[in-house]
């Protein structure tokens, strides 16, 4: 019986961060290769440098020119640069930013052409990666535009805890002006669809957080809950999306109420990610839901303070790979079930 062969594209992120370290540590466990063929968009020089840093000699790489030459269930590397590369762990640079974009560009090109099945992105420096082709606040916005979609959903995942965001990378001063009922309903729809197709949850239950302390205390602290959030919840329920709330964020997580729901929708970045990362303890995954492509990433950044010191945990990166595989399989199953159902209806 042939092993399943899911082609997993992996971008290297900022070469002076911990991206290559967590990638190498993840792939050093041969069990992870049993059902996938990883393709790293990097270079042998960078990989060999970090192999020495973390003292991993057992892992070997197949250097290839394109995905068609990849060896199944082995680690493959597509070279992204023939120039001399200066690696300085802990020091972001224009070169490290340029290489992170080149890696991302080559991987997304292959993804768009169906040469790979899923993509895992290592952390980038959002400032250093900026160029004429990448004028975005992060991977999420870039991939949404690349997919020709108006909206996507940043969805943080750890076991049964899933936290989605209404707004992503916005300053606090901008959050209030960007939250409205229409956007909340869009995000709830994306979240509900993802829970069904990507996580095999037949009838998801979604909790929605308020924006203000104590959910505005009936308008005393703020009126967004009354004017925007509650109407959005009502509209979602009219659309057969099981939605509850709004809930005050502090009490909701403090009382572990999140355990009663399949997902939580937070209004802004830190409202969702602070409790999520506190609970996940370095094991979480960032999944871009609502897109036709499958992209995951570890839930941490470049961690320049420990780069090149063999201190980075690979747990989040490893979980990102596993989650991408699970979602890929779940989508295939969902498509097959719906295709069978449609066929039966025609008979």
């Amino acid at each position: 019986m042939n092993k399943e062969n899911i082609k997993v594209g992996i971008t290297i992120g900022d070469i002076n961060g911990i991206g290559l370290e967590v990638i190498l540590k993840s792939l050093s466990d041969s069990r992870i290769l049993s059902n996938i063929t990883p393709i790293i968009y990097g270079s042998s020089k960078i990989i060999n440098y970090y192999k020495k840093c973390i003292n991993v000699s057992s892992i070997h790489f197949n250097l290839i020119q394109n995905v068609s030459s990849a060896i199944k269930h082995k680690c493959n590397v597509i070279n992204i640069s023939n120039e001399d590369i200066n690696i300085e762990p802990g020091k972001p640079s224009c070169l490290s930013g340029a290489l992170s974009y080149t890696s991302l560009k080559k991987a997304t090109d292959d993804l768009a052409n169906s040469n790979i099945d899923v993509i895992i992105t290592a952390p980038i420096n959002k400032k250093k990666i900026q160029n004429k082709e990448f004028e975005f606040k992060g991977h999420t916005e870039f991939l949404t535009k690349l997919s020709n979609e108006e909206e996507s959903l940043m969805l943080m995942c750890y076991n049964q805890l899933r936290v989605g965001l209404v707004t992503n990378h916005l300053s606090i001063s901008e959050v209030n002006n960007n939250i409205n009922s229409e956007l909340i309903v869009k995000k709830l729809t994306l979240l509900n669809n993802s829970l069904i197709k990507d996580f095999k949850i037949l009838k998801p239950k979604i909790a929605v957080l308020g924006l203000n302390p104590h959910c505005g205390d009936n308008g005393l602290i703020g009126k967004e809950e009354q004017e925007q959030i509650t109407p959005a919840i009502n509209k979602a329920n009219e659309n057969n999306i099981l939605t509850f709330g709004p809930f005050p964020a502090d009490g909701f997580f403090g009382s572990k109420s999140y355990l009663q729901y399949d997902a939580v929708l937070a209004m802004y970045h830190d409202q969702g990610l602070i409790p999520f990362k506190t609970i996940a303890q370095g094991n979480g995954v960032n999944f871009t839901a609502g897109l036709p492509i499958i992209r995951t990433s570890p839930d941490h950044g470049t961690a320049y303070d420990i780069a090149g010191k063999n201190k980075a945990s690979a747990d989040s990166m490893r979980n990102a790979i596993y989650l991408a595989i699970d979602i890929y399989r779940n989508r295939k199953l969902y498509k097959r079930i719906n295709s069978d159902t449609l066929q039966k209806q025609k008979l």
Side-chain angles (χ1 to χ4, degrees):
M1 182 177 181
N2 293 328
K3 293 181 180 179
E4 188 176 15
N5 178 34
I6 301 172
K7 295 185 180 69
V8 177
I10 304 175
T11 66
I12 59 173
D14 193 297
I15 63 169
N16 294 326
I18 62 170
L20 258 300
E21 179 177 337
V22 296
I23 291 169
L24 293 175
K25 285 180 176 178
S26 295
L27 298 178
S28 63
D29 186 343
S30 60
R31 290 173 297 180
I32 205 169
L33 300 176
S34 62
N35 292 314
I36 71 169
T37 298
I39 295 100
I40 302 173
Y41 294 80
S43 84
S44 56
K45 178 179 179 180
I46 305 171
I47 288 173
N48 287 330
Y49 178 92
Y50 280 102
K51 279 179 68 174
K52 292 178 181 178
C53 285
I54 64 176
N55 193 27
V56 176
S57 58
S58 59
I59 185 169
H60 301 286
F61 294 88
N62 176 40
L63 299 179
I64 58 176
Q65 295 297 316
N66 51 62
V67 176
S68 62
S69 302
I71 298 177
K72 293 181 180 181
H73 313 302
K74 301 291 184 183
C75 296
N76 300 273
V77 177
I78 291 180
N79 187 48
I80 64 169
S81 176
N82 293 316
E83 298 179 9
D84 188 37
I85 300 173
N86 185 29
I87 305 168
E88 298 180 283
K91 298 179 181 179
S93 65
C94 292
L95 173 63
S96 67
L99 287 172
S100 65
Y101 175 72
T102 302
S103 176
L104 180 63
K105 179 68 167 61
K106 287 182 178 292
T108 51
D109 283 349
D110 274 341
L111 188 65
N113 291 313
S114 300
N115 295 326
I116 56 177
D117 299 310
V118 302
I119 186 171
I120 320 294
T121 59
I124 57 173
N125 183 302
K126 294 181 177 65
K127 186 174 179 63
K128 294 296 183 182
I129 196 176
Q130 298 295 320
N131 59 47
K132 291 181 179 180
E133 295 181 0
F134 192 103
E135 296 178 330
F136 301 91
K137 294 180 179 179
H139 281 113
T140 303
E141 294 80 5
F142 171 75
L143 292 167
T144 303
K145 178 70 174 179
L146 198 68
S147 300
N148 295 316
E149 297 289 342
E150 291 185 7
E151 294 289 347
S152 64
L153 179 75
M154 184 184 293
L155 184 60
M156 309 303 295
C157 306
Y158 170 64
N159 292 339
Q160 302 309 308
L161 173 62
R162 305 174 190 91
V163 179
L165 304 180
V166 173
T167 60
N168 298 336
H169 300 113
L170 288 180
S171 68
I172 288 295
S173 63
E174 296 178 276
V175 168
N176 184 55
N177 292 332
N178 281 274
I179 289 178
N180 56 67
S181 289
E182 183 181 2
L183 179 60
I184 296 170
V185 172
K186 284 181 180 178
K187 297 289 184 173
L188 283 168
T189 302
L190 291 174
L191 180 52
N192 186 69
N193 290 342
S194 179
L195 292 170
I196 295 170
K197 297 177 182 178
D198 300 331
F199 296 90
K200 295 194 303 184
I201 301 172
L202 187 60
K203 195 65 178 175
K205 292 172 58 180
I206 303 172
V208 178
L209 303 181
L211 174 65
N212 299 296
H214 310 296
C215 278
D217 266 343
N218 295 313
L220 182 65
I221 300 175
K223 296 183 179 180
E224 286 78 10
E225 285 75 16
Q226 295 173 321
E227 297 178 354
Q228 304 294 340
I229 301 175
T230 297
I233 291 172
N234 293 337
K235 181 65 175 177
N237 279 301
E238 290 173 7
N239 294 337
N240 295 316
I241 300 173
L242 278 178
T243 313
F244 304 84
F247 300 100
D250 56 350
F252 182 82
F253 285 102
S255 65
K256 297 186 177 181
S257 295
Y258 61 87
L259 295 173
Q260 301 172 32
Y261 300 91
D262 298 300
V264 183
L265 187 67
M267 292 296 115
Y268 60 92
H269 187 278
D270 283 12
Q271 183 190 51
L273 266 67
I274 288 175
F276 175 84
K277 290 190 176 184
T278 301
I279 295 167
Q281 290 291 299
N283 291 285
V285 176
N286 180 1
F287 166 50
T288 308
L291 299 182
I293 63 171
I294 298 172
R295 173 260 174 167
T296 62
S297 73
D299 72 350
H300 56 71
T302 50
Y304 292 121
D305 56 323
I306 60 171
K309 298 179 181 179
N310 197 18
K311 293 183 178 181
S313 169
D315 291 344
S316 186
M317 173 58 81
R318 188 180 299 110
N319 289 341
I321 296 172
Y322 282 131
L323 181 61
I325 295 168
D326 287 343
I327 292 172
Y328 177 79
R329 290 169 173 164
N330 290 343
R331 285 192 182 182
K332 286 184 67 176
L333 177 63
Y334 178 85
K335 186 176 181 179
R336 186 167 66 247
I337 290 173
N338 279 271
S339 176
D340 290 344
T341 301
L342 184 63
Q343 188 64 32
K344 288 178 181 178
Q345 289 174 347
K346 291 181 179 179
L347 295 176

